[in-house]
Amino acid sequence: MAGGKCLALIAHDQKKDDMAEFARRHKEALKNWRIVATGTTGGRVLEAVPELDVIRLKSGPLGGDQQIGALIATGEADALIFFVDPLTPMPHDVDVKALMRLAIVYDIPMALNEATADRLIADLHL
Ligand SMILES: O=C(CO)COP(=O)(O)O
């Protein structure tokens, strides 16, 4: 992937409205980043803020979480914001866990809810 800091954005279905609102709220900061996102999340973020630089990967259940995990492992994703739905069982739960595990292994900043993501954006001086 081309140079520049890269932020990964993901939201589960019940959190996608929150992610779209988050992207609108932090639009100016997010313009400074290359963004990678799982398929549906990326579509919602682009719908909310069309001028953002968003690469859409596969949808989460079809391998998108694993693609983002691979980008973390290769040093291409620098931070992860993942709005997780803790109340719905997911067929790809193992992929979600594997992604979080890699974010921990490679010690990148990772926000799993909105309150932390707001602080992360501020702290990263986006
Ligand atoms: O399922 C997801 C993350 O686990 C998100 O994938 P989508 O953004 O394609 O819905």
Side-chain angles (χ1 to χ4, degrees):
M1 251 192 289
K5 286 284 184 184
C6 175
L7 174 66
L9 294 180
I10 314 178
H12 283 148
D13 287 352
Q14 299 303 316
K15 299 285 180 179
K16 282 188 172 69
D17 289 345
D18 293 346
M19 178 58 84
E21 180 49 38
F22 177 85
R24 275 190 286 269
R25 190 163 71 249
H26 293 291
K27 169 178 162 174
E28 292 308 318
L30 291 175
K31 281 184 193 169
N32 297 321
W33 285 70
R34 288 181 309 116
I35 295 168
V36 291
T38 48
T40 321
T41 301
R44 288 295 307 273
V45 167
L46 274 172
E47 216 175 81
V49 190
E51 59 265 49
L52 292 181
D53 175 14
V54 180
I55 295 175
R56 292 172 66 190
L57 304 174
K58 295 258 187 191
S59 186
L62 298 178
D65 298 74
Q66 294 212 29
Q67 286 182 293
I68 289 179
L71 291 174
I72 293 171
T74 52
E76 291 170 274
D78 301 291
L80 171 64
I81 292 177
F82 189 170
F83 289 178
V84 174
D85 170 10
L87 299 177
T88 307
M90 310 267 165
H92 59 305
D93 190 49
V94 288
D95 297 37
V96 174
K97 281 188 184 147
L99 169 59
M100 291 175 186
R101 182 179 167 276
L102 286 175
I104 295 166
V105 169
Y106 289 92
D107 195 25
I108 65 163
M110 168 172 62
L112 299 178
N113 64 15
E114 202 167 342
T116 314
D118 282 334
R119 287 160 177 77
L120 182 63
I121 290 277
D123 191 67
L124 290 172
H125 306 295
L126 289 170

